[in-house]
Amino acid sequence: MLGNFSYCNPTKLYFGENSLNDMNMELSKYGKKVVLIYGGGSIKKNGIYDEVIQILKNNGKDVVEIAGVMPNPTLPKLYEGIEIARKHHADLLLAVGGGSVCDYAKAISVSVNCEEDPWEKYYLRFEEPDCETLPVGCVLTMAGTGSEMNAGAVITNPETKQKIGHVFSDEKIMPRFAILNPKYTLTLPHYQMVAGIYDIFNHICEQYFSNEDDNTSDYISEGLMRSLVYSSQIANKDPLNYEARSNIMWTATWALNTLIAKGKSTDWMVHMLGQAVGAYTSATHGMTLSAVSLPYYRYILPYGLQKFKRFAVNVWGIDPAGKSDDQTAEEGIHAMEMWMKELGLVMSIADLGVTETMVEGIANATLILKGGYKVLSHEEIVAILKQSME
Ligand code: NZQ
Ligand code: ZN
């Protein structure tokens, strides 16, 4: 391993069927005013809302709510939430939901005491907060983003058609605690479950497909990918299988809590393409990734051939005997494609609402990053997007 790094992740995790009870220990650390943040109402239907309210009441908290945080939370919704948190002098922001709700809570956290416009400061200039931030806690209901144990917060500006993620470097922005109860994910619709699974897989790919030195992080990644593929195939057929769903939830957390990026550069171009598609369509995050992945990976494969060969052998069990490196690598991508189709992932951006006339704008909205095997040009991005339409 050739990289230099520091590592600190202060999020305290409570995992398992009874983990919500552990929130009692956490709540005593914060003041009375809790801003409870949730999405479009799934937590009211499946009973999680009632359980959380009960615990908050038992701990003598005054609860103010921010409801209706949409998937891919928007800037106007962020402004609304900042006002509520300010007005009620929040002591703790408690996110109950998926990545959207958790990201949104972090975006409020860094904005409540900030005098500048958060969009400009954090999402256009990528600055770090220089004001006091609010603590965030998370009760996770969807496995996918890893937001429960990282400092990322993605916000969409519908007016300018930009979806931008800021991964803050200050670990204070990471949730102080996260409750991970796999049972809470059992009510997810199949579409969201598999979108989350692909999001997890792609987070690992984004960190795996870079560099050529021998790095422990890549071995951890291969183990996580194998576990995820195995559990996903069980959960796809039997969504109520607790063992599979709990493995998926735990893998999601480790896929993006910064560990497997240590000592490496990272790629993240599938996410840049997917986010630009998301800015134009508001499509489900994991599906924007699945729809652009194969054209992207097939395109960069020759530039990272040895890693793609290793991926084929170590993740997909392809036997390289008697085959050229190209052939082995392509068989790995083919196995990945078969798995994606088995799960029922969206494989074309046309199916997410992208039309020919949007392609140029989506390409312009795609941030070009330099950590992967090939730095793409604008024309190459257009070509990949066009292939993703098929
Ligand atoms: O809003 P409700 O009614 O709760 O419904 C949600 C939403 O419609 C539903 N859902 C969640 N848990 C459920 C459930 N439905 C039934 N039962 C449950 N237990 O699922 C839908 C999607 O939820 P959302 O939170 O949007 O999904 P996800 O966790 O995939 O989060 C997506 C957001 O996170 C960002 C994405 O860009 C997107 O904005 N990301 C955040 C990252 C980070 N913080 O590091 C990294 C990721 O790459 C990603 O970019
Ligand atoms: Zn993602």
Side-chain angles (χ1 to χ4, degrees):
M1 182 155 70
L2 302 178
N4 303 301
F5 59 87
S6 69
Y7 182 63
C8 171
N9 192 318
T11 303
K12 179 139 186 182
L13 300 175
Y14 298 94
F15 192 96
E17 286 181 64
N18 303 317
S19 50
L20 190 63
N21 291 336
D22 296 320
M23 203 162 73
N24 286 307
M25 288 187 276
E26 289 296 325
L27 289 174
S28 59
K29 298 177 187 167
Y30 306 97
K32 262 175 106 65
K33 281 277 180 195
V34 175
V35 174
L36 175 66
I37 305 173
Y38 56 96
S42 69
I43 64 164
K44 290 207 165 158
K45 285 193 206 123
N46 57 25
I48 298 171
Y49 174 87
D50 292 336
E51 286 183 40
V52 169
I53 287 287
Q54 192 57 52
I55 291 202
L56 291 171
K57 272 197 188 147
N58 294 349
N59 283 272
K61 302 295 182 186
D62 294 337
V63 180
V64 175
E65 298 189 6
I66 301 175
V69 177
M70 62 291 280
N72 313 316
T74 64
L75 184 60
K77 185 70 184 173
L78 174 61
Y79 290 142
E80 183 191 314
I82 293 168
E83 282 315 308
I84 295 172
R86 265 185 199 150
K87 185 168 154 210
H88 294 279
H89 304 288
D91 295 311
L92 172 69
L93 302 171
L94 184 61
V96 184
S100 293
V101 174
C102 193
D103 279 16
Y104 177 83
K106 288 180 233 171
I108 294 182
S109 160
V110 295
S111 305
V112 165
N113 297 311
C114 174
E115 283 168 12
E116 293 162 80
D117 178 66
W119 178 253
E120 290 191 7
K121 183 175 174 68
Y122 300 127
Y123 293 94
L124 296 183
R125 299 200 301 270
F126 283 93
E127 292 175 13
E128 290 296 304
D130 39 24
C131 57
E132 209 183 313
T133 57
L134 287 180
V136 170
C138 169
V139 178
L140 194 67
T141 67
M142 157 144 185
T145 65
S147 186
E148 66 275 13
M149 202 184 187
N150 70 37
V154 184
I155 295 293
T156 298
N157 184 337
E159 205 178 306
T160 59
K161 290 204 184 331
Q162 285 169 298
K163 180 176 183 183
I164 300 180
H166 187 152
V167 181
F168 291 94
S169 25
D170 189 341
E171 56 258 11
K172 253 200 342 254
I173 315 304
M174 293 177 180
R176 301 295 167 88
F177 64 90
I179 307 295
L180 306 182
N181 181 344
K183 278 206 159 162
Y184 288 170
T185 67
L186 297 182
T187 55
L188 269 174
H190 182 265
Y191 187 87
Q192 292 296 339
M193 177 186 81
V194 294
I197 288 169
Y198 190 71
D199 191 23
I200 302 166
F201 192 82
N202 191 255
H203 291 159
I204 306 170
C205 291
E206 300 275 30
Q207 298 163 93
Y208 182 77
F209 288 117
S210 60
N211 300 112
E212 276 153 17
D213 58 323
D214 186 46
N215 188 322
T216 300
S217 293
D218 291 332
Y219 297 82
I220 300 173
S221 291
E222 287 164 356
L224 290 173
M225 287 192 272
R226 281 165 45 199
S227 167
L228 181 65
V229 169
Y230 181 75
S231 294
S232 70
Q233 289 175 317
I234 296 171
N236 190 39
K237 291 200 191 90
D238 176 15
L240 298 184
N241 187 304
Y242 179 85
E243 192 180 31
R245 298 298 289 271
S246 70
N247 282 323
I248 291 168
M249 193 172 212
W250 192 226
T251 305
T253 303
W254 287 92
L256 195 50
N257 66 3
T258 75
L259 178 81
I260 60 169
K262 290 300 153 195
K264 302 195 64 179
S265 66
T266 49
D267 183 351
W268 293 108
M269 275 316 296
V270 168
H271 271 68
M272 294 306 103
L273 289 157
Q275 278 176 206
V277 169
Y280 272 71
T281 59
S282 298
T284 296
H285 172 66
M287 297 305 191
T288 65
L289 308 176
S290 61
V292 299
S293 280
L294 292 175
Y296 175 72
Y297 286 127
R298 287 203 162 102
Y299 186 74
I300 64 158
L301 185 148
Y303 302 95
L305 182 60
Q306 289 312 312
K307 195 55 145 308
F308 280 94
K309 179 184 172 190
R310 178 176 161 173
F311 175 69
V313 174
N314 291 355
V315 178
W316 298 101
I318 305 295
D319 180 1
K323 293 172 195 159
S324 68
D325 290 353
D326 291 300
Q327 201 179 346
T328 305
E330 171 49 38
E331 283 186 27
I333 294 293
H334 180 72
M336 175 176 158
E337 180 173 359
M338 292 300 106
W339 168 69
M340 292 170 77
K341 289 183 172 161
E342 177 187 337
L343 293 188
L345 295 166
V346 176
M347 306 298 280
S348 159
I349 54 175
D351 294 339
L352 299 173
V354 174
T355 57
E356 288 282 347
T357 54
M358 292 182 191
V359 168
E360 195 59 35
I362 294 174
N364 285 331
T366 303
L367 293 179
I368 298 175
L369 302 179
K370 298 191 170 129
Y373 288 123
K374 168 85 176 78
V375 181
L376 297 182
S377 67
H378 177 80
E379 291 69 33
E380 288 169 319
I381 288 177
V382 170
I384 288 166
L385 286 169
K386 285 194 173 155
Q387 273 181 34
S388 307
M389 298 278 292
E390 288 165 11

